[in-house]
Amino acid sequence: AGFTGLLAGDTVNVATSTGTFADKNVGTGKAVSITGLSLGGTDAGNYNLTSTTASTTADITPATISAITGITAANKTYDTTTAATLTTTGAGFTGMVAGDVLNVATSTGNFVDKNAGLGKTVNITGLSLGGADAGNYTLASSTATTTATINQAQLTAITGITAANKVYNGNTAATLNTGSAGFTGLQAGDTVKVAT
């Protein structure tokens, strides 16, 4: 600190001071109001401070959100795709300042593969921040994971199985041809056959 009016050789310093940015938000060269200035030092008693205020500038840099937690994925019925429906309303933001407002602006969920299964990994990508205070944060990672279930699709009927004619042999056994079997409910592009 420099003191306008200080005589050469005297020792004066700032005993008290309070600085306040113009607002809380991230920015460069932001105005800082300085109040509550008072003098200290060996020769402070020899001086009267005519103003207890001053001003300066400084930067506020973004805080880091190290992770987004609490995103969930909905269970679904097998549909040949890996697409997952996400719910982000319960998301938590590691590193958020208490009282700030953040939400998930964008996100995409995909199961690790298309197949039916319980508690399957869902990879979450494309995460970005939204909300009133999003501009005050950087997101360390735009990915996360959760789990959900892909339930089996239902085949409601098998059609097109034929039986071969035969000569009477005293039993009811029939030889079946399943090569042309059709499956009601089969997803387009999938391959299913009658195993036995």
Side-chain angles (χ1 to χ4, degrees):
F3 301 87
T4 304
L6 181 67
L7 295 174
D10 277 359
T11 301
V12 173
N13 57 41
V14 176
T16 60
S17 61
T18 300
T20 306
F21 282 92
D23 60 53
K24 71 174 185 175
N25 298 315
V26 165
T28 57
K30 296 176 67 75
V32 177
S33 299
I34 303 169
T35 58
L37 289 168
S38 65
L39 299 176
T42 306
D43 298 300
N46 297 319
Y47 293 91
N48 178 48
L49 187 59
T50 58
S51 175
T52 60
T53 64
S55 64
T56 188
T57 59
D59 300 341
I60 299 178
T61 58
T64 298
I65 298 298
S66 59
I68 298 178
T69 60
I71 297 174
T72 59
N75 297 336
K76 74 170 188 176
T77 299
Y78 172 77
D79 62 3
T80 77
T81 75
T82 61
T85 300
L86 301 176
T87 299
T88 62
T89 52
F93 303 88
T94 304
M96 185 177 75
V97 175
D100 276 0
V101 176
L102 291 177
N103 57 48
V104 177
T106 60
S107 61
T108 300
N110 282 285
F111 285 91
V112 68
D113 60 50
K114 71 174 186 174
N115 301 316
L118 300 174
K120 295 174 68 74
T121 297
V122 175
N123 294 314
I124 302 168
T125 58
L127 288 170
S128 65
L129 298 174
D133 297 297
N136 295 319
Y137 294 91
T138 57
L139 186 57
S141 174
S142 61
T143 64
T145 60
T146 187
T147 59
T149 294
I150 299 179
N151 295 305
Q152 293 175 321
Q154 300 298 310
L155 296 180
T156 57
I158 299 177
T159 59
I161 297 175
T162 59
N165 298 330
K166 75 170 187 176
V167 174
Y168 172 79
N169 61 3
N171 64 51
T172 60
T175 300
L176 300 178
N177 179 359
T178 62
S180 297
F183 303 87
T184 304
L186 183 68
Q187 297 289 324
D190 276 359
T191 302
V192 173
K193 64 182 181 179
V194 177
T196 57

